Amino acid sequence: MENPFERYSLGDLVGRRTLKWQAYPADVLPLWVAEMDTDLAEPVRDAVIAAARSGAVGYPWGRAYPDALAGYAADSWDWSLDADTVRHTADVMTGMAHLVRLVTPPDGVLVLTTPVYPPFLDLPAITGLPVRLVGLTGAGRLDLDALAVAFAAVRAENRTPTLALCNPCNPTGVAHRHAELEQLAGLAAEHGARVVVDEIHAPLVHPGATFTPFLTVAGAERAYAVHSASKAFNLPGLKAALIVPGAGAVDELTGGLPATLDHSASSIGVLAHAVALTEGRDWLAAHLAGLDQNRRQLGALLAAQLPGVRWQPPEATYLAWLDCRGLDLDGDPAEVFLTRGKVALNSGPTFGPGGEGHVRLNFATAPQVLTEAVGRIRSVLDR
């Protein structure tokens, strides 16, 4: 099968007017921010062009996006969500911040698992809540014992814990298992904790792994999930996301957030995301196959040229979490690879405790770019 990431040469990509390709000089290979180096699904492109030509760019209206997510969830994850209970929001992290404020009393404590997507670490400042950090296991999975201790400690202070979770996990690429999530829901219920989950990478799961929506596990009725088609269908600049309440949180969501929230998404974004989920599935299937090819290529390149780098091939996302502590570098690996090798990766410490000595690499790019990037890093070590 053709790898769709082979359609664009490095020359094509360098000229792109996006953050990924413009934040660094043209001689730097950018394998950092989570956007894919590919095209749009044809139905999405056609719908966006038609809307622009007709001037249909006012405030968003209607239930097309929630209905599209409900259809996709039913077909992909056997999840029957009620589209009528779903709320629009501008993007996933905006939705997460609103929800953390909604469910957490003034004396509450925000609990985060680290390493985690850096905007999670901004939530304490945004919400004004103190934070308690809980490390993931060495395999990048949930440390349920440590979470139980953290919940109990917060409760011992007569405070209420709220957990903000990333599922699948960015940066480790772990797709949390059903049993793990069900045990987590039980712990939250036991300790009176609320759970708010970012599930933006849900469609991006590789062969051998399965995505479990948190709201489908027993005990998660009062939790929330935030979804968006932006990562899976490469629409990060067309802002739109959806807040999905558990069955026991519907009334709270209905009355707890202002109506203006539903108008904060881009109308073009809402359109693009709805069309992607309904008409872009063949495009997604082809790109998932291409990502799996890239993932295997990256593994072969690391084994051949960077055997000192440890990694666990991600179960989900198009992000590789690379442990560079065995390379004995004199500084942050991301800074070393950027200044000496002209390869831009995400710095591990920005993901919080547990990120030291790591980098995050985005492999949703042309295979030739992956090969060149690993070769440049190898040359840094050779020097």
Side-chain angles (χ1 to χ4, degrees):
M1 180 183 293
E2 177 197 13
N3 185 341
F5 292 99
E6 294 177 336
R7 295 173 187 165
Y8 291 91
S9 69
L10 179 58
D12 297 326
L13 296 169
V14 167
R16 287 197 164 187
R17 303 299 303 175
T18 66
L19 173 66
K20 182 179 181 183
W21 286 93
Q22 294 301 318
Y24 293 96
D27 61 345
V28 171
L29 291 181
L31 278 72
W32 63 298
V33 71
E35 60 183 65
M36 293 194 279
D37 293 332
T38 187
D39 51 8
L40 287 179
E42 187 173 349
V44 174
R45 184 183 66 232
D46 291 347
V48 169
I49 291 172
R53 283 177 172 163
S54 68
V57 293
Y59 292 108
W61 181 256
R63 308 301 296 168
Y65 191 8
D67 287 343
L69 176 62
Y72 186 91
D75 294 342
S76 301
W77 310 313
D78 196 26
W79 178 20
S80 297
L81 67 87
D82 184 353
D84 289 336
T85 67
V86 173
R87 301 281 300 271
H88 294 81
T89 186
D91 53 42
V92 166
M93 291 312 299
T94 297
M96 292 287 288
H98 278 288
L99 289 172
V100 168
R101 288 194 191 101
L102 174 66
V103 305
T104 312
D107 67 344
V109 175
L110 181 63
V111 179
L112 301 176
T113 60
T114 63
V116 71
Y117 178 49
F120 272 66
L121 300 170
D122 294 331
L123 286 173
I126 293 170
T127 61
L129 293 170
V131 65
R132 188 176 299 266
L133 303 179
V134 178
L136 298 171
T137 69
R141 309 202 73 89
L142 294 174
D143 188 333
L144 293 163
D145 291 338
L147 281 167
V149 170
F151 290 161
V154 172
R155 273 301 180 191
E157 299 168 358
N158 294 317
R159 309 181 85 171
T160 303
T162 294
L163 173 67
L165 181 68
C166 196
N167 175 43
C169 182
N170 172 7
T172 68
V174 161
H176 301 306
R177 301 186 184 110
H178 186 280
E180 292 172 314
L181 294 175
E182 191 166 68
Q183 187 175 346
L184 172 61
L187 288 173
E190 178 184 350
H191 295 284
R194 300 299 296 272
V195 183
V196 178
V197 189
D198 164 5
E199 297 188 335
I200 196 171
H201 291 278
L204 295 168
V205 177
H206 301 295
T210 303
F211 169 70
T212 299
F214 185 70
L215 297 183
T216 64
V217 305
E221 293 79 13
R222 297 184 69 234
Y224 291 90
V226 190
H227 279 256
S228 175
S230 64
K231 296 302 180 190
F233 294 92
N234 205 35
L235 305 169
L238 296 177
K239 295 280 190 176
L242 296 172
I243 296 172
V244 185
V250 173
D251 291 343
E252 179 182 57
L253 179 63
T254 300
L257 294 179
T260 52
L261 182 70
D262 294 280
H263 304 302
S264 63
S266 157
S267 59
I268 293 291
V270 167
L271 170 67
H273 289 225
V275 171
L277 290 168
T278 54
E279 302 178 43
R281 298 189 194 183
D282 289 343
W283 181 96
L284 178 59
H287 281 75
L288 283 171
L291 289 174
D292 187 43
Q293 291 179 44
N294 285 7
R295 181 180 66 144
R296 287 184 278 113
Q297 177 192 352
L298 177 60
L301 289 168
L302 293 174
Q305 300 188 49
L306 300 171
V309 172
R310 292 180 294 173
W311 81 311
Q312 188 70 30
E315 298 173 330
T317 80
Y318 46 77
L319 307 166
W321 186 237
L322 307 181
D323 183 349
C324 302
R325 289 174 293 180
L327 301 182
D328 196 27
L329 298 171
D330 56 348
D332 178 3
E335 183 64 26
V336 172
F337 299 152
L338 176 62
T339 58
R340 303 180 195 173
K342 302 297 183 182
V343 178
L345 307 174
N346 289 93
S347 170
T350 65
F351 295 82
E356 302 83 359
H358 290 70
V359 295
R360 193 192 72 175
L361 182 150
N362 175 351
F363 58 85
T365 190
Q368 70 181 75
V369 173
L370 281 179
T371 299
E372 173 68 17
V374 173
R376 290 189 186 189
I377 293 172
R378 175 70 253 180
S379 69
V380 170
L381 302 183
D382 288 342
R383 292 198 297 270

